[in-house]
């Protein structure tokens, strides 16, 4: 794939989202569904890498670029990730005084809701494929409940879910012998 086209596709996704994973639906549509440049499994791996490394939540875009075109793709992903942030400095200079205007607030609120809807539209198919067994479904449900109803840090929930999976695999291996 042409690196410039990859940059533009990733830029389109990062510009139209206002949160780290908000670009996920567009990236999935463009690179997995429409162009078949990467698979859903590679997209999941990119998200996992981006979520486990320090830095912005949208860092997975760099991994997506890498899966598409190696190191040049990773550079295109990084550029697509930082371009909106650098551009916003110039935009804030112009719109900064107008941010309290009711119409501007309404537009920003609509963008947030649209981003949430796009994220949900992507999360459902990803969840259907990722939650392939009863144990994984129970872990996801339990993790969600713990996160909603307690103040436990998410790292402990992730470590607990990983521990449950490791124990379940060990028990399965012992029973299979």
């Amino acid at each position: 794939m042409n690196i410039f086209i990859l940059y533009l596709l990733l830029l389109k996704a990062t510009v139209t989202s206002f949160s780290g994973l908000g670009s996920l639906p567009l990236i999935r549509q463009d690179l997995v569904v429409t162009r078949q440049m990467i698979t859903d499994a590679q997209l999941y791996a990119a998200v996992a890498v981006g979520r486990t490394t320090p830095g912005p939540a949208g860092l997975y875009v760099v991994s997506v670029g890498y899966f598409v075109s190696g190191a040049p793709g990773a550079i295109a992903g990084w550029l697509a990730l930082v371009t909106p942030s650098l551009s916003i400095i110039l935009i804030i200079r112009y719109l900064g005084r107008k941010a309290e205007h009711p119409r501007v607030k309404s537009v920003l609120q609509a963008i947030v809701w649209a981003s949430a809807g796009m994220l949900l539209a992507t999360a459902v198919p990803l969840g259907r494929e990722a939650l392939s067994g009863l144990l994984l479904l129970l872990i996801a449900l339990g993790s969600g409940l713990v996160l909603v109803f307690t103040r436990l840090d998410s790292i402990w929930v992730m470590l607990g879910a990983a521990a449950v999976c490791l124990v379940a695999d060990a028990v399965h291996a012992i029973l299979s012998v």
Side-chain angles (χ1 to χ4, degrees):
M1 165 170 257
N2 182 323
I3 296 299
F4 185 68
I5 299 296
L6 176 63
Y7 167 74
L8 291 177
L9 290 171
L10 295 174
L11 180 64
K12 175 181 78 168
T14 58
V15 165
T16 58
S17 68
F18 287 92
S19 66
L21 293 175
S23 57
L24 188 58
L26 290 172
I27 289 174
R28 184 176 185 277
Q29 182 63 40
D30 284 342
L31 298 179
V32 176
V33 177
T34 304
R35 290 181 174 78
Q36 290 133 11
M37 299 301 298
I38 60 173
T39 64
D40 273 329
Q42 289 173 313
L43 183 60
Y44 304 150
V47 171
V49 167
R51 299 299 294 165
T52 57
T53 56
L59 196 58
Y60 76 94
V61 173
V62 177
S63 297
V64 168
Y66 180 80
F67 280 126
V68 173
S69 293
I75 293 169
W78 175 76
L79 287 171
L81 181 67
V82 300
T83 300
S85 301
L86 296 176
S87 301
I88 200 72
I89 295 169
L90 299 172
I91 294 169
I92 288 175
R93 172 91 170 125
Y94 173 72
L95 293 177
R97 292 177 219 115
K98 299 175 181 169
E100 293 301 317
H101 192 278
R103 286 186 185 156
V104 174
K105 283 185 174 182
S106 295
V107 167
L108 291 175
Q109 189 65 31
I111 291 170
V112 169
W113 282 107
S115 180
M118 288 181 3
L119 199 54
L120 182 62
T122 299
V124 170
L126 292 177
R128 255 190 250 130
E129 189 171 319
L131 302 176
S132 57
L134 179 62
L135 177 64
L136 294 177
L137 186 61
L138 291 173
I139 289 172
L141 182 63
S143 298
L145 291 172
V146 168
L147 288 171
V148 168
F149 293 112
T150 69
R151 299 184 132 246
L152 190 62
D153 194 83
S154 60
I155 187 70
W156 297 112
V157 176
M158 288 187 286
L159 288 173
V164 169
C165 285
L166 289 173
V167 169
D169 281 345
V171 167
H172 180 65
I174 290 171
L175 295 177
S176 298
V177 174

